[in-house]
């Protein structure tokens, strides 16, 4: 069939790449580092977008759209942000092509159409947005501004992987402006909670909420919060970030407001984002050697129905039953696919829909017609059961709920087993090499120790968990005193 | 209040610009020709997207995403398409900035990070997509491919206007691939019908379906179909196009398939798109000197409720009634805004919501409470009526339907009055100068005559209507024989 993918324990990385391609999620394009998101992959992303967009709107945010291009002079205004992204920016320098006099049928950049000021293709939009907010904000009455943007961004990456790291990716970026630091911090934490809720309830992916260390902070932020997930190979993946920007961008772009007390003050800001990277996380969190395992809440197809037939007559009778089941399920809001192709055998179809992660498969053959039954298979556990036809439309919704819970619980179990407390540096290295996962260890709080551990182990501090307990200890690396543990891991 | 806008008959162009800004739809950005779509404007665009996206999916299409950048060598492969867009392309030449040694705190393009091959920021995506379809298509079994993309595109325009002509704009572009010419033509016409249906049913904007002349055709297409709308100043606006691409892109990108008969053949293609330009059309089709008039089907807020009160006590009693009305309307799917600000007077609020085009306004004061009534005002005609409170939740939906129909009928009446048949060139010029609108005239079918008329009158042939009748006549310009009329107009 040409649809087999390698086993995870043979080559996890190859398993991932092949799965992404063979399940028709995405592929590489002719443009270095840029991917094509194929229809099936995009339909999962659309489900994510819909769920997130509703959560953003329910928390008072509106969508807007800001330019793709950032003039260099704006880009460089917030110095740390500019430094952070300068090395990976696509730059527009010209605005016209002309026919190449030396090569018939070819075009060349028109040297006379050079821009006076170069334009940076947005790697993130704080600069262009805060430059706009300057016009929108005069008084405390204009605050807060709660805006989100769905957009493409470009960060020139040298080593790319489908969904996980691409030169162009799709994301949403929230950018809010507030009258007080306190309100901005509350917004930052609220959006982190929204992300965690989305990851756990929709993606069925448990996450740890935490704070980044200084060295891992978003360039230009005062504080970066993140959610960290654990993949099946023991590597961590940062699934979303929410930044408290302090007054950094307000100062850089001169965004001030008159307070209730009549004083002119700098505005406080936040920004927060998740991207198509979540697709990579979703795939790696649940899928198995047979293909995708999708949580029902994000599955483009909830139920696939495969008829087992030898004659047109049989297919016709099966179709009548299938139409009833489909109608009953669709009425309840489920997406049902009836795979009645006569060009492929049932076994091929089973494998194909397993590869694509459809949560529930129904199979109906002539004997089922006689007995008034249907075979119901769940994708996550591969369990099958035979059910009465007239029970299906009530049973499938319960089964889908069960699958959603079940894959969450399985991922949670795996994640919890892969948080290991260590007391020494040797233990830390041993766990990273042999078991993987998060390693909970004392750290002395210095960037030097953090850098040394990263250099020696390739593990980074994923976060300082928000729920961390005060606990006296000694840094595993330096032996200096520490009052709390942080989470180390190798990461995507 | 600072919210007044000029009258249409004083300065239509200024009326439009001021309306777009004062109704918080969009504004100019710091980036030449690029706009910021503000939250209220974007929420109307979202409504458009949702309706169109559903129509695309109902006709069998899926969304996908292709790269923002097109390598120059792909861009130039389809020669006519390349020629057509070469003069208005943003070009990425470098992928890194570095600190400018001569100017502290500034960045400069790193000359060592020059791309080997320049990247064109997509002005349209046929090139990158057909280069991808080459990988997706081998056999007739892989056809048709029915894909749509929601994306931003860039066409470097020298004279820009908010929504109508901007360097960056948002749009959708459908790109389909077919085994036969006949099927591709049917798709082209189907999508034109979808656009016409959307324009008329959702935007309440009548359109004429037609074919473009050779000189107005999309670069690289065999045939371009369009829908043309009439604005209140007598100028036409092209609201959507659907292109039959023939085998042009298949040949340029070598996209072949094995037919049922086992022959290797070139694939047939279509592309079709509408953009944020529709926002400009929507605004200009219906709005008046007091602001926006929105068709209820695209209005982000259907009903605004303004309380008339002098004391907190009064507001409290009004709020109780309002909560009941709001709940009853929201239950039916309508978006209701209760404007209970105590910082502004009712008259200010009335003007503000008129400016923003909310279709229905309810006002409730103390006397209404006594009488169990509410004042209901419709935005389009400004008519007011007093209604029993308990009738409101049933009456408002009917009123909204009526408004949707009514503004369509008004626009249709205006449009129909502005199609003028002429027999001579003098008449054509006179109608264009004095009455405006579409001018239905005989044309000899030559690009020379078309160009001469355009040069002399600034009017273009908007389309050859699909429902045009065969009719013997003489070209108004050359006197040569003609067998059908075409529609001329000055246009946006
Ligand atoms: Zn790869
Ligand atoms: Zn302007």
């Amino acid at each position: 069939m040409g649809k087999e993918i390698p086993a995870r324990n043979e080559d996890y990385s190859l398993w991932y790449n092949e799965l992404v391609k063979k399940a028709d999620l995405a592929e590489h394009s002719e443009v270095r580092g840029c991917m094509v998101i194929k229809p099936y992959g995009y339909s999962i992303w659309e489900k994510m977008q819909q769920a997130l967009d509703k959560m953003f709107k329910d928390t008072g945010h509106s969508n807007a759209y800001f330019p793709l291009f950032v003039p260099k002079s704006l880009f460089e205004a917030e110095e740390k942000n500019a430094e952070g992204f300068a090395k990976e920016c696509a730059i527009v320098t010209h605005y016209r092509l002309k026919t190449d006099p030396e090569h018939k049928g070819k075009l060349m950049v028109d040297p006379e159409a050079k821009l006076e000021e170069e334009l940076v293709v947005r790697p993130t939009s704080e600069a262009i947005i805060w430059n706009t907010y300057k016009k929108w904000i005069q008084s405390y009455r204009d605050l807060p501004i709660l805006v989100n943007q769905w957009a493409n961004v470009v960060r020139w990456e040298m080593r790319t992987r489908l969904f996980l790291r691409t030169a162009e990716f799709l994301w949403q970026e929230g950018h809010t402006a507030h009258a007080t630091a306190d309100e901005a911090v509350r917004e930052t934490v609220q959006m982190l909670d929204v992300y965690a809720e989305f990851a756990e309830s929709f993606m069925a992916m448990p996450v740890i909420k935490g704070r980044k260390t200084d060295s891992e902070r978003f360039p230009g932020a005062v504080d970066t919060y993140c959610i960290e997930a654990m993949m099946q190979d023991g590597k961590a993946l940062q699934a979303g970030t929410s930044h408290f920007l302090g007054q950094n961008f307000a100062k850089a772009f001169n965004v001030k407001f008159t307070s209730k007390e009549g004083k002119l003050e700098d505005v406080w800001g936040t920004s927060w984002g998740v991207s198509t990277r979540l697709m990579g996380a979703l795939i790696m969190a649940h899928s198995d050697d047979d293909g995708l395992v999708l949580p029902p809440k994000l599955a483009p197809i909830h139920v696939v129905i495969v008829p087992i037939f030898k004659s047109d007559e049989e297919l016709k009778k099966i179709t009548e039953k299938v139409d009833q089941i489909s109608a009953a399920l669709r009425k309840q809001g489920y997406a049902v696919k009836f795979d009645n192709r006569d060009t492929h055998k049932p076994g091929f179809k089973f494998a194909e829909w397993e590869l694509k992660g459809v949560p529930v498969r129904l199979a109906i053959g002539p004997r089922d017609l006689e007995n008034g039954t249907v075979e119901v298979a769940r994708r996550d556990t591969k369990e099958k059961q035979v059910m009465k036809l007239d029970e299906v439309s009530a049973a499938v919704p319960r089964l889908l709920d069960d699958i959603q819970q079940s894959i969450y619980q399985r991922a949670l179990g795996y994640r919890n087993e892969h948080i290991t407390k260590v007391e020494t540096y040797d233990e830390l290295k041993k766990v990273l090499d042999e078991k993987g996962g998060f390693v909970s260890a004392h750290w002395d709080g210095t960037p030097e120790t953090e850098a040394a551990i990263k250099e020696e182990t390739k593990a980074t501090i994923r976060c300082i968990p928000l729920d961390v307990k005060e606990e006296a200890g000694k840094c595993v690396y330096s032996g200096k005193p520490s009052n709390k543990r942080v989470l180390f891991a190798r990461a995507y």
Side-chain angles (χ1 to χ4, degrees), chain A residues 12 15 203-205 230-232 280-287 411:
Chain A
Y12 192 83
W15 165 81
M203 297 176 67
M205 182 176 80
M230 180 50 54
M231 302 296 103
Q232 294 179 68
L282 182 72
I283 296 160
M284 288 199 295
H286 307 302
S287 302

Side-chain angles (χ1 to χ4, degrees), chain A residues 354-419:
Chain A
E354 280 176 8
L355 181 64
K356 292 204 161 183
V358 176
V360 171
R361 180 188 75 219
L362 307 185
I364 309 184
R367 188 174 303 171
D368 290 306
L369 285 183
E370 280 171 29
N371 300 340
T373 57
V374 56
E375 185 194 79
V376 180
R378 53 190 284 177
R379 173 63 185 89
D380 59 338
T381 60
K382 305 281 180 70
E383 287 166 354
K384 292 177 199 170
Q385 53 180 314
V386 172
M387 209 177 268
K388 286 277 167 202
L389 264 170
D390 57 11
E391 290 169 6
V392 168
S393 71
V396 165
R398 285 195 305 269
L399 184 58
L400 288 166
D401 284 348
D402 188 48
I403 294 171
Q404 181 81 32
Q405 294 310 318
S406 177
I407 63 178
Y408 174 75
Q409 289 300 332
R410 193 172 53 177
L412 182 64
Y414 179 89
R415 198 278 309 274
N416 288 345
E417 278 162 30
H418 286 80
I419 302 176

Side-chain angles (χ1 to χ4, degrees), chain A residues 137-140 143 179 256-259 263-267:
Chain A
I137 300 168
Q138 274 89 41
S139 140
Y140 71 93
L143 295 170
K256 292 178 188 293
F257 73 103
T258 309
S259 70
K263 276 170 56 186
L264 205 59
E265 295 180 15
D266 291 317
V267 174

Side-chain angles (χ1 to χ4, degrees), chain A residues 17 21 28 160-162:
Chain A
N17 292 343
K21 287 177 209 169
H28 293 286
T160 64
R161 286 192 75 186
L162 291 166

Side-chain angles (χ1 to χ4, degrees), chain A residues 179-420:
Chain A
T180 65
D182 190 53
E183 189 184 296
V185 170
R186 279 203 310 273
E187 165 80 7
T188 312
V189 174
Q190 170 185 259
M191 298 323 289
L192 189 78
D193 288 342
V194 163
Y195 289 155
E197 166 74 15
F198 171 75
E200 304 198 331
S201 295
F202 287 85
M203 297 176 67
M205 182 176 80
V207 292
I208 292 168
K209 292 188 273 192
R211 252 200 191 79
K212 287 289 182 191
T213 62
D214 294 2
S215 65
E216 300 277 335
R217 193 187 296 143
F218 177 75
V222 169
D223 216 345
T224 287
Y225 295 76
C226 61
I227 52 171
E228 295 283 329
M230 180 50 54
M231 302 296 103
Q232 294 179 68
D233 62 345
K235 285 169 79 174
L237 187 145
Q238 174 181 299
T241 49
S242 185
H243 315 294
F244 171 55
L245 302 177
Q247 295 168 311
N248 291 347
F249 286 89
K251 285 185 207 290
F253 292 93
N254 197 26
V255 189
K256 292 178 188 293
F257 73 103
T258 309
S259 70
K260 270 188 189 163
E261 295 74 31
K263 276 170 56 186
L264 205 59
E265 295 180 15
D266 291 317
V267 174
W268 299 85
T270 85
S271 66
W272 29 275
V274 297
S275 73
T276 37
R277 192 159 212 254
L278 288 181
M279 290 289 296
L282 182 72
I283 296 160
M284 288 199 295
H286 307 302
S287 302
D288 63 25
D289 296 348
D290 294 316
L292 274 181
V293 173
L294 290 175
K297 285 192 189 174
L298 296 177
I301 302 169
H302 296 105
V303 179
V304 64
I305 308 180
V306 178
I308 321 278
F309 62 99
K310 291 212 175 80
S311 67
D312 283 353
E313 185 58 27
E314 277 176 6
L315 178 59
K316 203 179 147 217
K317 281 184 192 157
I318 292 169
T319 302
E320 280 168 22
K321 292 292 174 198
V322 167
D323 287 348
Q324 291 168 23
I325 298 173
S326 300
L329 288 171
R330 287 189 182 123
K331 210 170 155 185
Q332 298 173 80
Y334 297 100
V336 182
K337 168 91 186 168
F338 180 36
D339 185 356
N340 59 357
R341 289 176 291 175
D342 57 8
T343 45
H344 296 84
K345 295 220 187 302
F348 178 95
K349 294 179 184 177
F350 289 3
E352 180 162 300
W353 297 114
E354 280 176 8
L355 181 64
K356 292 204 161 183
V358 176
V360 171
R361 180 188 75 219
L362 307 185
I364 309 184
R367 188 174 303 171
D368 290 306
L369 285 183
E370 280 171 29
N371 300 340
T373 57
V374 56
E375 185 194 79
V376 180
R378 53 190 284 177
R379 173 63 185 89
D380 59 338
T381 60
K382 305 281 180 70
E383 287 166 354
K384 292 177 199 170
Q385 53 180 314
V386 172
M387 209 177 268
K388 286 277 167 202
L389 264 170
D390 57 11
E391 290 169 6
V392 168
S393 71
V396 165
R398 285 195 305 269
L399 184 58
L400 288 166
D401 284 348
D402 188 48
I403 294 171
Q404 181 81 32
Q405 294 310 318
S406 177
I407 63 178
Y408 174 75
Q409 289 300 332
R410 193 172 53 177
L412 182 64
Y414 179 89
R415 198 278 309 274
N416 288 345
E417 278 162 30
H418 286 80
I419 302 176
T420 311

